[in-house]
Amino acid sequence: MDAYAEGINAHDFDLLEDLIDADAVFWFSSGSYRGLPAIRAAFEATWTRLQNETYWLEELAWIASDDGAAACTYSFRWRAEVDGSRIEGGGRGTSVLRRRAEGWLIVHEHLSAEPT
């Protein structure tokens, strides 16, 4: 998950692609995305909208794990600029990883707003 957050901050999906399963499903507030091309498009749209974005995870908790799969919950935070104004936000996330021959890959991510 550290490599994933670092890759997000590089704003280069090629750095993330080896960490995400080809058939992964990501649920963001902007929609649901299945497969690497759709997930890439979602990330790149966010990076276009949020200039100079910095993203990080807090309170990471591994809630399940065995030799083949693992799941974690976390809080995520971000800071960026939009039209020259500094903004920030965050929410809650869940990621599910599966061990493949090439290592641990994210097969599902669900990000949502913090409860009010």
Side-chain angles (χ1 to χ4, degrees):
M1 292 303 294
D2 289 339
Y4 180 61
E6 288 174 21
I8 290 172
N9 285 324
H11 297 193
D12 180 353
F13 195 81
D14 291 341
L15 299 175
L16 297 175
E17 197 164 16
D18 289 341
L19 303 174
I20 301 171
D21 190 81
D23 297 319
V25 176
F26 278 39
W27 294 348
F28 298 151
S29 60
S30 60
S32 298
Y33 306 93
R34 179 180 294 275
L36 285 173
I39 295 166
R40 174 188 288 272
F43 272 88
E44 290 176 347
T46 298
W47 293 329
T48 297
R49 192 176 76 254
L50 301 177
Q51 298 297 304
N52 301 314
E53 180 201 26
T54 302
Y55 177 91
W56 68 97
L57 305 178
E58 298 176 343
E59 302 170 2
L60 188 83
W62 291 97
I63 58 172
S65 65
D66 66 21
D67 291 340
C72 62
T73 61
Y74 46 86
S75 295
F76 66 91
R77 304 285 307 154
W78 57 269
R79 288 189 193 108
E81 295 175 15
V82 173
D83 297 328
S85 296
R86 192 94 172 128
I87 60 172
E88 62 182 70
R92 300 183 296 181
T94 302
S95 292
V96 179
L97 293 83
R98 182 175 295 148
R99 186 188 302 266
R100 301 282 198 203
E102 58 272 35
W104 287 95
L105 300 178
I106 299 170
V107 295
H108 177 65
E109 180 170 275
H110 182 182
L111 302 182
S112 62
E114 294 178 10
T116 56

